[in-house]
């Protein structure tokens, strides 16, 4: 029992630092994404647009998955931050890809077209899983 408590005491500060950094990175990524996309998700949500809520939920999940993978395999805070930013940029490209396929995705979400939002969610989660798998290295142990 003593070893478990000592392990907790010595590891808890690192846990707080890494988890806090990952949380801040997710918050930054979501904020950046919302500011960069043409549709105003928060205003649409407040007006009852369900497709905007679906699309935003897909964004949050799609950003959290690779950040979680970065957190699991990072060797330093810098490593976590760098690959978290790379994940954000790839997710923005995924949005643009769906926009190219559907033509005027922001307008479709503004018009509350659930089909467009669902396709965006699928692309976000699928790309997030691929990104997360590419980032994850089971041979890396945090120092």
């Amino acid at each position: 029992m003593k070893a478990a408590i000592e392990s907790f005491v010595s590891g808890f500060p690192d846990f707080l630092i890494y988890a806090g950094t990952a949380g801040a990175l997710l918050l930054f990524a979501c904020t950046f994404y919302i500011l960069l996309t043409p549709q105003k998700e928060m205003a649409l949500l407040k007006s009852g647009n369900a497709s905007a809520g679906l699309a935003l939920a897909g964004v949050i999940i799609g950003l959290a998955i690779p950040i979680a993978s970065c957190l699991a395999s990072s060797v330093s805070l810098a490593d976590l931050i760098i690959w978290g930013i790379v994940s954000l940029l790839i997710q923005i490209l995924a949005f643009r890809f769906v926009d190219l396929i559907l033509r005027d995705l922001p307008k479709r979400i503004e018009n509350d077209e659930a089909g467009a939002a669902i396709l965006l969610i699928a692309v976000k989660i699928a790309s997030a899983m691929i990104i997360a798998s590419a980032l994850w290295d089971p041979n890396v142990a945090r120092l």
Side-chain angles (χ1 to χ4, degrees), residues 5-6 8 15 19-21 25 31 35-36 43 49 53 61 64 69 79 86 91 99 105 107 117 124 142:
I5 292 172
E6 288 174 4
F8 171 78
F15 164 78
T21 301
L25 192 55
T31 303
L35 293 174
L36 194 64
N49 185 315
I61 294 167
S69 179
D79 187 41
V86 168
Q91 288 292 53
D99 189 29
L105 178 62
K107 192 60 149 174
K124 289 289 187 190
R142 190 173 309 156

Side-chain angles (χ1 to χ4, degrees), residues 2-82:
K2 183 178 179 184
I5 292 172
E6 288 174 4
S7 175
F8 171 78
V9 169
S10 67
F12 190 64
D14 284 341
F15 164 78
L16 290 176
I17 291 168
Y18 276 81
T21 301
L25 192 55
L26 178 61
L27 182 62
F28 166 78
C30 290
T31 303
F32 184 76
Y33 186 92
I34 288 170
L35 293 174
L36 194 64
T37 55
Q39 73 268 21
K40 302 300 172 214
E41 287 92 345
M42 300 312 286
L44 292 170
L45 276 170
K46 288 177 183 176
S47 70
N49 185 315
S51 294
L54 288 170
L56 189 55
V59 167
I60 294 168
I61 294 167
L63 290 168
I65 291 170
I67 289 172
S69 179
C70 292
L71 181 60
S73 64
S74 65
V75 294
S76 68
L77 283 176
D79 187 41
L80 172 62
I81 293 167
I82 289 167

Side-chain angles (χ1 to χ4, degrees), residues 86-116:
V86 168
S87 300
L88 166 64
L89 296 175
I90 292 171
Q91 288 292 53
I92 290 170
L93 290 175
F95 175 86
R96 289 292 164 218
F97 176 73
V98 175
D99 189 29
L100 286 173
I101 291 171
L102 292 181
R103 305 272 195 270
D104 206 16
L105 178 62
K107 192 60 149 174
R108 289 174 179 260
I109 290 173
E110 287 175 17
N111 292 336
D112 206 3
E113 292 182 27

